[in-house]
Amino acid sequence: MKKVLTIAGFDPSGGAGIQQDLKVFHLFGVYGLSAVAALTAQNSSGVAAVKAVDRHFLGKQIEVLLRDSVPDATKVGMLLSADNVLEIAAILKKFRLKNIVLDPVVKSSSGRMLVEAGVPELIRERIFPYCTIITPNIHEASVLSGVKIATDVDVAKAAIILKGFGPEQVIITGGHRTGRAVDILYDGTFSYLRGKRVPGEYHGTGCAFSSALASLLALGFDVPTAARNAKRFMARSFRRSFSTGNGMRLFSF
Ligand code: PLP
């Protein structure tokens, strides 16, 4: 049985974070392990409150798990505090985990910051060097690279800058751009994953994509193949979604 660990935020709505990651792992037939870095109070309309798990307890969750089994891939999602980041960096260094997928979460679609001040820069310095692939959306890529993104050339520029901080590969997802939803994959050369833009607001898109990618890496696919299949999985997931009648659409898979 292949195992995938998610280190991320707790979303009571089940639409993002750890709760959703575990659903995606199950769909891909891999066994899900999880460690919570931050708690949130939220529903499909937005995030009302966030709270970081303290450094010692975050580390304890993972160390206890790793004593028992070694994941075939690890997905890192919402890291709220500097302590969250420093602890995960220490864990990644100590245990030399493989197939690390980082979704560098900055802000929720509803507009709430999911990182404290200074944390994106710290993630870039301390976590990026351990990553097999990072999966920023356009907004995250812009914040983390310092490039104001308007054109395809800007996206390429941002990808080059982000790879310079140490991840093996960068995929900048294009779903939040106007026009076609093209993802740009950069590993030293560029490739483009084309898709149709889906209308509407969805909760948990970045979490689902990065979890699918981590599952596929655990199953032995190389990054370009995993990325293409994760994108296909998302296209299907947009069709399998519903609304509570209040906020964003939730994936029902
Ligand atoms: N809550 C948690 C725990 C998350 O990890 C994320 C995104 O990564 C969100 C909320 C935001 O999800 P979205 O922007 O898709 O609404």
Side-chain angles (χ1 to χ4, degrees):
M1 188 78 188
K2 299 294 185 188
K3 298 175 287 293
V4 184
L5 167 64
T6 172
I7 303 165
F10 180 96
D11 175 0
S13 81
I18 286 175
Q19 284 67 20
Q20 193 197 51
D21 295 343
L22 292 172
K23 294 177 201 177
V24 173
F25 297 159
H26 183 72
L27 286 168
F28 279 92
V30 297
Y31 186 84
L33 304 163
S34 57
V36 58
L39 306 173
T40 72
Q42 63 178 302
N43 58 29
S44 66
S45 297
V47 180
V50 294
K51 187 180 174 66
V53 169
D54 74 66
R55 180 167 177 172
H56 177 74
F57 196 76
L58 173 57
K60 191 79 180 170
Q61 291 173 71
I62 301 169
E63 295 219 6
V64 169
L65 276 179
L66 295 181
R67 245 181 259 148
D68 193 30
S69 57
V70 178
D72 300 283
T74 296
K75 173 236 158 112
V76 181
M78 176 184 174
L79 301 176
L80 173 62
S81 65
D83 269 0
N84 277 172
V85 177
L86 295 174
E87 185 59 26
I88 297 311
I91 295 266
L92 295 178
K93 181 172 183 198
K94 181 171 174 186
F95 292 97
R96 298 177 182 282
L97 298 174
K98 57 177 191 245
N99 291 326
I100 312 262
V101 177
L102 171 70
D103 179 19
V105 176
V106 172
K107 195 162 87 172
S108 73
S109 304
S110 56
R112 169 87 190 215
M113 291 304 286
L114 298 177
V115 285
E116 291 170 358
V119 168
E121 295 77 9
L122 205 57
I123 289 174
R124 193 174 63 189
E125 275 166 37
R126 303 295 186 97
I127 309 287
F128 276 25
Y130 297 103
C131 295
T132 308
I133 182 157
I134 62 168
T135 66
N137 61 28
I138 292 290
H139 172 257
E140 291 156 352
S142 181
V143 169
L144 290 159
S145 68
V147 176
K148 201 160 167 279
I149 298 176
T151 64
D152 287 345
V153 175
D154 300 333
V155 182
K157 225 188 274 175
I160 292 168
I161 291 171
L162 293 176
K163 186 170 181 318
F165 285 97
E168 288 171 29
Q169 309 207 25
V170 177
I171 184 163
I172 300 181
T173 59
H176 293 85
R177 296 180 73 193
T178 47
R180 291 182 70 78
V182 179
D183 296 353
I184 292 191
L185 178 63
Y186 181 65
D187 63 356
T189 57
F190 288 101
S191 39
Y192 300 88
L193 285 71
R194 290 167 211 289
K196 254 201 219 137
R197 242 191 79 72
V198 184
E201 295 289 318
Y202 294 81
H203 177 47
T205 311
C207 300
F209 177 72
S210 54
S211 294
L213 197 48
S215 302
L216 289 157
L217 293 182
L219 291 167
F221 292 94
D222 61 21
V223 172
T225 310
R228 270 195 305 278
N229 281 312
K231 194 163 168 76
R232 230 170 270 144
F233 167 73
M234 290 311 298
R236 209 185 53 197
S237 299
F238 286 116
R239 290 195 293 273
R240 295 183 185 164
S241 63
F242 72 103
S243 169
T244 63
N246 296 311
M248 293 173 280
R249 294 184 71 79
L250 302 170
F251 293 114
S252 50
F253 300 119

